[in-house]
Amino acid sequence: MRDELRADLLEVGRLLVSMAEAVRTAMGHATEALLTADRATCEMVIARDAEVDDLHRQVDQQVYDTLARQAPVATDLRLVITGIAIAADLERMGDLAEHVAKTALRRYPAPAVPPELREVITSMGAVADRMAGKVGLVLTTQDATLGAELETDDDAMDELQRRLFSILLHKDWRYGAEAAIDGALLGRFYERYADHAVNAGQQVVFLVKGETSEPPSVDQP
Amino acid sequence: MRDELRADLLEVGRLLVSMAEAVRTAMGHATEALLTADRATCEMVIARDAEVDDLHRQVDQQVYDTLARQAPVATDLRLVITGIAIAADLERMGDLAEHVAKTALRRYPAPAVPPELREVITSMGAVADRMAGKVGLVLTTQDATLGAELETDDDAMDELQRRLFSILLHKDWRYGAEAAIDGALLGRFYERYADHAVNAGQQVVFLVKGETSEPPSVDQP
């Protein structure tokens, strides 16, 4: 690979790592704000999503510039374009953190999460944090085993979502339809966040291994 | 534009139109199956999502081949790459139709939609159908006014989602938390389907107008 192309790809990688860090921080703050009904933190998460969107635009621009200036071929070409797909996954993770913050804000000053759900939401937040951290790490280290770990983490997230639904649907649920809907949507936000983390990680691995198959795409309920 | 590049782009466009038709049919069948608790149709929608995924892979492959063989630059380059983004939106619309079918199947043989929600779900299905039809049409005709119409349709979808939630959260709701959760998730599936339709349409318009700004990205609750 030529030096100029390598430098361009490093810049794309650097931007993607910044995005991964930003969406990890966003979901961390959103979960904390959700559990503490903290209005200021919710508003900060919502406001700062613009930074993620801006990084996304920078990645796209860098990819277009690289394609135009370097005209890479074969594996190099796929590598450059995959940057676009990873950035799209990361931006979506930022959006989902924003949705968690907006859900908390909609119920403010009441807490959006009743006591029975605190433990499972806390766990979902912890798994989300771990996964976003691994996406950043796989981007930096290109360690394919981290990609596999993301799938295990995603299984843990799916299990937590099942536990969440079993609480919402239990005959003893006493918070009514509104809180059940909030709980179900929150569960979906964390689960989708995890799906996009797996997808981003798999695409890095696809790059590293230079597979001839297509990059994976998020495709699950 | 060279003839070979034009031919390649026509092929990408042809595949995208097939995807738009497939995801329109899928959501149409899913809505019908949801309202009639029709198991066979649900299973067909779920099985046929593989065809959409296959078309998606074909678009990506065609785009990579085009980039490798034609090495387009400037506007042509953006035009080719935007095909990837549109295909990703269309695939996601197919996934969302599949989620509607899976929701119906999970309650089978009971209907997943109580009588109070039938009208609003029917309307959401009709708006989704209209929007997917317009995405196909904007791909074929490249008529930018259709892109603007998609935004108006999306406002109608958002309004329907608000009406849906107002029914779920009404004090007279008598179907419990489970049906409320299903209703909320179904509402989200239709609303996300509409968002991706807007996004796909806007990207076609972006291509036609050759804007220098970045293509739009789905970014809303």
Side-chain angles (χ1 to χ4, degrees):
Chain A
M1 191 188 292
R2 286 160 301 150
D3 284 351
E4 306 84 33
L5 179 57
R6 196 185 306 275
D8 278 358
L9 285 172
L10 278 175
E11 175 60 14
V12 171
R14 195 189 61 74
L15 289 165
L16 291 174
V17 170
S18 297
M19 284 188 82
E21 287 167 356
V23 304
R24 181 186 192 178
T25 303
M27 192 54 115
H29 284 150
T31 303
E32 185 198 326
L34 175 69
L35 292 169
T36 57
D38 174 348
R39 181 176 184 163
T41 303
C42 289
E43 285 169 347
M44 183 192 69
V45 170
I46 294 164
R48 291 191 61 183
D49 191 51
E51 295 172 24
V52 176
D53 296 346
D54 187 56
L55 284 166
H56 185 191
R57 274 187 291 273
Q58 289 181 49
V59 172
D60 282 359
Q61 192 57 54
Q62 179 70 38
V63 167
Y64 284 119
D65 289 353
T66 303
L67 289 171
R69 284 188 290 105
Q70 317 278 356
V73 293
T75 309
D76 290 349
L77 174 63
R78 287 184 176 252
L79 211 151
V80 174
I81 289 183
T82 302
I84 293 182
I86 296 173
D89 277 311
L90 291 169
E91 185 191 314
R92 194 72 203 127
M93 289 167 74
D95 291 343
L96 290 160
E98 195 186 354
H99 293 350
V100 170
K102 282 183 175 172
T103 304
L105 207 54
R106 208 162 46 232
R107 295 290 162 253
Y108 181 84
V113 174
E116 284 85 339
L117 293 183
R118 292 184 68 85
E119 188 192 328
V120 67
I121 292 283
T122 303
S123 300
M124 292 181 104
V127 174
D129 186 71
R130 191 163 73 218
M131 293 181 79
K134 279 179 191 168
V135 172
L137 215 53
V138 78
L139 279 164
T140 317
T141 65
Q142 300 174 342
D143 177 353
T145 59
L146 286 169
E149 280 182 34
L150 280 166
E151 297 210 40
T152 313
D153 292 330
D154 190 44
D155 292 341
M157 187 66 99
D158 290 344
E159 179 55 38
L160 286 167
Q161 198 189 21
R162 276 189 289 274
R163 198 194 304 172
L164 171 68
F165 272 77
S166 74
I167 299 169
L168 299 177
L169 299 175
H170 195 276
K171 62 181 173 49
D172 294 340
W173 179 258
R174 57 195 168 87
Y175 302 96
E178 185 162 16
I181 290 171
D182 274 351
L185 290 176
L186 285 167
R188 194 163 163 83
F189 298 151
Y190 284 101
E191 179 245 318
R192 295 292 305 154
Y193 185 95
D195 286 343
H196 285 286
V198 170
N199 215 36
Q202 281 177 338
Q203 298 196 77
V204 179
V205 172
F206 155 81
L207 287 184
V208 176
K209 294 192 171 172
E211 310 272 272
T212 52
S213 61
E214 291 309 298
S217 68
V218 166
D219 174 39
Q220 71 99 250
Chain B
M1 190 188 292
R2 285 159 301 150
D3 284 350
E4 306 85 32
L5 179 56
R6 197 186 305 274
D8 278 0
L9 286 173
L10 278 175
E11 175 60 13
V12 170
R14 196 190 60 76
L15 289 165
L16 291 174
V17 169
S18 296
M19 285 188 81
E21 286 168 357
V23 305
R24 180 187 192 176
T25 304
M27 191 53 114
H29 284 151
T31 303
E32 185 198 325
L34 175 69
L35 292 169
T36 57
D38 174 347
R39 180 177 185 162
T41 302
C42 289
E43 286 167 346
M44 183 193 70
V45 170
I46 294 164
R48 291 192 61 183
D49 190 53
E51 294 172 23
V52 176
D53 297 346
D54 187 55
L55 284 166
H56 185 190
R57 274 186 291 275
Q58 289 181 51
V59 172
D60 282 359
Q61 191 58 54
Q62 179 71 37
V63 167
Y64 284 121
D65 289 353
T66 303
L67 289 171
R69 284 188 291 105
Q70 317 279 0
V73 292
T75 309
D76 290 349
L77 175 62
R78 287 184 177 249
L79 209 152
V80 174
I81 289 182
T82 301
I84 293 182
I86 296 173
D89 277 312
L90 291 169
E91 186 192 312
R92 192 73 204 126
M93 289 167 75
D95 291 343
L96 290 160
E98 194 187 355
H99 294 349
V100 169
K102 283 184 174 172
T103 304
L105 208 54
R106 207 161 48 230
R107 296 289 161 256
Y108 182 84
V113 174
E116 284 84 340
L117 294 183
R118 291 184 68 86
E119 188 192 326
V120 66
I121 292 283
T122 302
S123 299
M124 291 180 105
V127 175
D129 186 70
R130 192 164 72 217
M131 293 180 81
K134 280 180 192 168
V135 172
L137 215 53
V138 78
L139 280 163
T140 316
T141 64
Q142 301 175 340
D143 177 353
T145 58
L146 287 168
E149 280 183 35
L150 280 166
E151 298 208 40
T152 312
D153 292 332
D154 190 43
D155 292 340
M157 186 67 98
D158 290 345
E159 179 54 38
L160 286 167
Q161 200 190 20
R162 277 189 289 274
R163 197 194 307 171
L164 172 68
F165 272 78
S166 74
I167 299 169
L168 299 177
L169 299 175
H170 196 276
K171 63 179 171 47
D172 294 340
W173 180 256
R174 57 196 168 89
Y175 302 96
E178 186 162 16
I181 290 171
D182 275 352
L185 290 176
L186 285 167
R188 194 163 161 83
F189 298 151
Y190 284 100
E191 179 245 317
R192 294 291 305 154
Y193 185 95
D195 286 342
H196 285 286
V198 170
N199 215 36
Q202 282 178 337
Q203 297 195 76
V204 178
V205 172
F206 154 80
L207 288 184
V208 175
K209 294 194 173 170
E211 308 273 272
T212 52
S213 61
E214 291 309 298
S217 68
V218 167
D219 174 41
Q220 72 99 249

